[in-house]
Amino acid sequence: MALVSMAGTIRGNRTTNRQRRGNVSSTPRTSAGTTRLANRYAAWRAGAVRAATGFNSAPEPRSIGLYARGRQLVSGNILLAGHLAEAPGRSLWDITSPDPAFAQAAQGFGWLDDLAALGDATARVRAQDWTWDWIDRYGTGRGPGWTPDLTGRRIIRWLHHGLLLLTATDKAHTDAYYRALTRQTAFLARRWRAAAPGLPRFEALTGLIYAGLSLTGMEGHVKTATAALARECRAEVDAGGGLPTRNPEELLEVFTLLTWAAQALAEADRKIPGPHAAAIERIAPALRALRHADGGLARFHGGGRGLEGRLDHALAQAGVRAAPNTGLSMGFARLAAGRTTVIVDAASPPSEAASGTAHASSTAFELTSGRRPLIVSCGSGAPFGSEWRRAGRATASHSTLSVDGFSSSRLGTPMGAVEPLTDRARVAPARQTAGPDGAHLFLSHDGWTTTHGLTANRTLDLTPDGRKLTGTDALTATTPADRQRFEDVMTRSRLEGLRFAVRFHLHPDVDATVDMGGNAVSIALKSGEIWVFRPSGRAQLTLDPSVYLEKGRLKPRATKQIVLSGHATDFETVVGWTLAKAQDTPLAIRDLDRDDPTPVAVD
């Protein structure tokens, strides 16, 4: 019941489109039907290209899969995009797709990484059967997988695991494999420009570079694709190594693709363009700044933690030794001391097309102690359907101050399947300092200025030993116009005031209990650490249900949230709080036993 109740609470705070300050680009878009026809035509034309007959060089399996997922696939438990299909003995392509995301995950062949990670004879046969079944059904251009980004993703997996797919196969199957790769390569050469800027285009171009370098007769595509990838690096990766979407996990995906492409070019004795190499150099320190102490990424703007080990592997492969960025990285501030990391959303949300997965998370933070996440964001609800996707984007799904009924940024008019943010909070430049007394951060945004006349402020201070985080959250009406607007709100509420809540969502692995006669919350981590949350001021302290939205799970996980709630009835409302390790918690704890972080197909 707690999980259902929390879902209803978050859905009740879904954003609305009010007093728009930003404008989504009004450039006409090609209709979905026209795009599909163009893709089908390009795939048909690509069939006339002479097929490759082999590899110029044996490809390396650089993409990382999960052994446990491989075992599930072999047993017939197929978990893709948050949906589980139980189909022992059946082909993947016989399964009726429960959701478009399931079909995309299947057509992208990311599951091939997991079968390769298992690596036994049964996994090899399953990989070969599903791949040749795909060729028979969809290899001439049919099906939902003929888009530039999915084709690029698929080519990369087919080449990474080419030896797995071709082991113990006859000539007919080998020829079919090369013909299908050739058609996909020729398709990409015609259609990569149709991929959306950002990750989809990086996938398409990396796939084209891979195919051009690996397949006989496809070398002519390398120069064009390499130059185009360099242009995308200049256009999409900013001076600080960030992306317009401000999605940390997407940044990791782009970084991985650029690293793979650079390695493939270097192994073929091809020059890596300057913008390409420079983008890798810029992204590496940004990713280090977005990484918590446990190695996972901050979960903001549609991104998750990233696959276990993926970030460390990508950084090691890139060979960039730069330290984490100081100041903001892709709009996020990092406070770190001792075993504690705090990562804060410290910039305005993405705008226009880049805001399609953006969250109303201004000034929200996550805190990790050693190898244990403590304060989190609820995460992306995209794998669990449209309602959960909207719920995960709301301010109430983040660890920050929220106003009942109004997210700090609001959703605009849907553009097809995309719901951009159009009424975005403007976050003032962060004031961040570090010194002998610890790290200090001050943030301010105007997410409720036009609706309620209130500016939101947040101050965070982390002690030098990382054992105590002190925070202050405030709602203030500063200008005469703002005060008049707030008084109008008070009048409409019959002087009851504006209800607000400061939320601190807890990771589901922690054990939290109300303590000290209702004046504190004790939080126990599996490492043995004890943290104590204490409020100051007149806000009411409660421990309420929450959810943790995690990719790879069938359902949201039940968890809890600390909530400080009250009513703003004056021109300034201030709520203070502290989160500190208990005095008897030692400075260092041997935290060697860690649960398997791999999401599995369970409720």
Side-chain angles (χ1 to χ4, degrees):
M1 289 297 295
L3 185 63
V4 174
S5 174
M6 184 57 193
T9 298
I10 297 181
R11 289 192 186 105
N13 285 329
R14 62 180 293 185
T15 53
T16 57
N17 182 26
R18 299 170 184 266
Q19 290 88 25
R20 298 183 181 180
R21 284 192 294 264
N23 292 315
V24 176
S25 174
S26 59
T27 302
R29 294 191 173 192
T30 305
S31 71
T34 301
T35 299
R36 283 195 297 271
L37 286 174
N39 288 337
R40 289 286 299 276
Y41 178 72
W44 174 74
R45 287 283 304 275
V49 176
R50 182 177 180 180
T53 56
F55 294 130
N56 289 319
S57 60
E60 294 289 335
R62 294 190 174 96
S63 46
I64 301 172
L66 299 175
Y67 177 87
R69 291 267 189 90
R71 290 187 60 183
Q72 290 173 0
L73 290 169
V74 167
S75 67
N77 295 319
I78 302 168
L79 179 64
L80 298 175
H83 298 276
L84 176 65
E86 297 180 3
R90 294 172 59 194
S91 171
L92 173 60
W93 315 112
D94 286 333
I95 298 170
T96 301
S97 177
D99 183 85
F102 183 97
Q104 291 176 359
Q107 294 280 337
F109 273 67
W111 47 265
L112 198 55
D113 294 339
D114 300 321
L115 290 174
L118 181 56
D120 60 15
T122 306
R124 172 174 55 79
V125 171
R126 182 59 50 88
Q128 292 172 340
D129 287 347
W130 285 0
T131 300
W132 271 273
D133 196 10
W134 184 93
I135 292 173
D136 290 340
R137 299 183 191 215
Y138 307 118
T140 59
R142 294 187 298 272
W146 286 88
T147 65
D149 53 327
L150 287 178
T151 303
R153 194 183 311 170
R154 189 167 53 245
I155 283 177
I156 292 170
R157 266 61 189 187
W158 282 27
L159 292 174
H160 277 181
H161 306 300
L163 297 182
L164 175 74
L165 293 174
L166 294 178
T167 297
T169 56
D170 57 28
K171 186 176 186 303
H173 285 96
T174 300
D175 290 346
Y177 169 83
Y178 285 120
R179 282 197 305 271
L181 269 178
T182 300
R183 184 187 287 261
Q184 293 174 80
T185 303
F187 168 82
L188 269 188
R190 294 176 180 274
R191 292 294 292 165
W192 67 262
R193 295 173 184 82
L199 179 58
R201 192 168 293 177
F202 281 113
E203 285 185 312
L205 288 170
T206 301
L208 188 54
I209 290 172
Y210 254 55
L213 293 173
S214 300
L215 298 173
T216 58
M218 299 291 109
E219 299 87 346
H221 298 303
V222 176
K223 183 177 180 181
T224 299
T226 302
L229 187 62
R231 290 194 298 271
E232 292 301 309
C233 288
R234 281 195 298 264
E236 296 297 319
V237 182
D238 64 27
L243 298 176
T245 60
R246 299 191 55 224
N247 180 330
E249 189 176 22
E250 185 173 310
L251 183 66
L252 172 58
E253 294 297 325
V254 169
F255 180 72
T256 300
L257 290 167
L258 293 179
T259 302
W260 286 347
Q263 289 176 320
L265 288 167
E267 290 168 0
D269 293 325
R270 300 259 188 163
K271 183 179 179 181
I272 303 169
H276 183 164
I280 293 174
E281 294 280 346
R282 296 197 304 275
I283 294 175
L287 282 172
R288 287 192 169 97
L290 297 172
R291 178 174 58 178
H292 279 295
D294 66 340
L297 288 167
R299 302 183 340 132
F300 287 101
H301 296 299
R305 288 173 43 82
L307 285 177
E308 187 75 10
R310 181 75 173 273
L311 175 55
D312 289 337
H313 181 75
L315 290 170
Q317 291 293 312
V320 179
R321 306 301 179 189
N325 285 341
T326 57
L328 300 189
S329 292
M330 205 164 69
F332 296 95
R334 175 188 175 91
L335 311 179
R339 294 163 47 85
T340 304
T341 53
V342 180
I343 299 179
V344 191
D345 189 349
S348 300
S351 62
E352 300 185 347
S355 71
T357 61
H359 289 192
S361 55
S362 300
T363 75
F365 76 92
E366 294 186 323
L367 183 148
T368 296
S369 179
R371 304 177 73 188
R372 304 290 172 175
L374 197 163
I375 305 296
V376 297
S377 301
C378 287
S380 172
F384 309 106
S386 59
E387 287 300 307
W388 278 114
R389 183 180 66 247
R390 296 187 188 98
R393 300 177 71 181
T395 301
S397 296
H398 298 83
S399 295
T400 188
L401 184 148
S402 62
V403 169
D404 273 12
F406 288 83
S407 283
S408 57
S409 296
R410 271 74 75 178
L411 294 179
T413 303
M415 301 170 60
V418 177
E419 292 180 285
L421 293 178
T422 53
D423 189 10
R424 300 181 305 120
R426 292 175 295 188
V427 179
R431 300 206 297 265
Q432 185 175 6
T433 59
D437 296 330
H440 169 81
L441 178 68
F442 175 80
L443 295 170
S444 175
H445 74 76
D446 68 350
W448 298 292
T449 302
T450 57
T451 56
H452 301 83
L454 295 173
T455 298
N457 303 319
R458 165 163 271 184
T459 302
L460 298 173
D461 290 282
L462 183 66
T463 56
D465 58 7
R467 293 176 64 90
K468 182 178 181 180
L469 179 68
T470 303
T472 302
D473 289 285
L475 289 169
T476 60
T478 54
T479 69
D482 291 344
R483 294 188 175 194
Q484 182 60 56
R485 190 174 290 118
F486 179 71
E487 288 181 343
D488 293 341
V489 171
M490 288 290 292
T491 300
R492 290 195 298 270
S493 69
R494 298 181 181 180
L495 302 183
E496 291 182 1
L498 177 67
R499 185 166 179 80
F500 69 88
V502 186
R503 303 174 187 275
F504 305 84
H505 295 277
L506 303 175
H507 191 273
D509 287 342
V510 309
D511 185 13
T513 56
V514 177
D515 206 350
M516 300 180 186
N519 295 314
V521 176
S522 294
I523 307 167
L525 308 186
K526 286 190 174 182
S527 63
E529 287 185 355
I530 303 294
W531 288 72
V532 179
F533 179 92
R534 291 185 179 91
S536 61
R538 294 188 296 176
Q540 180 183 8
L541 171 66
T542 56
L543 188 61
D544 295 343
S546 181
V547 290
Y548 188 74
L549 304 169
E550 186 177 13
K551 294 179 181 178
R553 293 273 177 174
L554 294 180
K555 296 179 180 179
R557 296 174 67 185
T559 186
K560 295 180 180 179
Q561 59 175 317
I562 300 170
V563 181
L564 300 178
S565 59
H567 288 83
T569 58
D570 206 343
F571 293 142
E572 183 176 52
T573 302
V574 179
V575 177
W577 50 268
T578 60
L579 180 62
K581 290 185 184 181
Q583 291 184 358
D584 56 353
T585 298
L587 289 174
I589 291 179
R590 290 178 62 83
D591 188 13
L592 301 179
D593 296 328
R594 186 172 182 184
D595 297 335
D596 185 358
T598 303
V600 293
V602 297
D603 289 352

